[in-house]
Every structure is written in structure tokens, then in C-alpha cells.
Amino acid sequence: RVHYKNTYETANAIKGMNLRTAQAYLEAVCEKRRCVPFRVYKGCIGRTPQAKEFKMSQGRWPIKSAKILLDLLRNAESNAEFKNLDTENLTITHIQV
């Protein structure tokens, strides 16, 4: 079980990214080297300088949500390999929480 709001913000952060870029970003979030900007559910969210990368001031490091989304991306990659698609050109166009 993961928090809906954290997973929503994390999914919005990786929407539009390449698969490899999203995986690297989520691994950096797990190591607290990059933050997830909180855009919608931002009440009582602390400010961090790492959010300046997204032109925001509020952000967090939802590690549990990031790990769940990493598993989801790994599953999507294996599905693409099974369908003989090019995994290097995969882009996250739709992600729903």
C-alpha cells in the first residue's frame, strides 16, 4: 500500500519522460539526490532547493512510491520486449494512478 497523493505527484513528474530517463530519475529520488515537485497536493509540504529544477519551491522524496513506479516501469519494459518493441525509444505518454 502506498499513499495516493505521493504516487500521483511522482507519476506526474515522470510523465513525458523517456523510459531510461524516468528510471534514472526515480533511482535518484530513492537516494534523495533529486526531489519530486508537489504541484496539486501541496498543503503543508516543505520547501527544498532541489525543486528549483522544476520551477517550483515545494517537493518531497516519496521513496515508497518511487520504488512501486520503478517496478511498474520494469514491467512495462518487459512487456515491450515480449512484443518485440524497441525498448530504447519507449516514452511514458500515459500513466494513471
Side-chain angles (χ1 to χ4, degrees):
R1 299 177 53 99
V2 291
H3 293 154
Y4 165 75
K5 294 178 179 181
N6 289 349
T7 311
Y8 175 86
E9 297 288 0
T10 309
N12 272 347
I14 65 170
K15 190 182 292 184
M17 285 187 183
N18 190 344
L19 180 71
R20 300 285 177 229
T21 309
Q23 287 175 336
Y25 171 71
L26 290 176
E27 288 169 2
V29 168
C30 289
E31 296 169 0
K32 295 191 176 184
R33 285 188 282 118
R34 294 175 76 185
C35 77
V36 173
F38 275 57
R39 302 173 192 275
V40 177
Y41 301 109
K42 58 184 179 178
C44 298
I45 300 291
R47 297 183 289 188
T48 176
Q50 289 182 1
K52 287 182 183 177
E53 169 186 1
F54 305 98
K55 306 270 193 291
M56 299 285 297
S57 63
Q58 295 171 309
R60 277 188 177 171
W61 301 268
I63 295 172
K64 202 170 172 183
S65 297
K67 288 182 179 177
I68 293 292
L69 288 177
L70 269 172
D71 289 340
L72 187 72
L73 293 180
R74 193 175 305 119
N75 189 10
E77 182 181 8
S78 64
N79 288 345
E81 287 176 1
F82 182 73
K83 293 181 178 183
N84 294 326
L85 298 175
D86 185 17
T87 57
E88 298 301 319
N89 291 332
L90 287 181
T91 305
I92 303 166
T93 56
H94 177 78
I95 186 164
Q96 186 174 357
V97 177

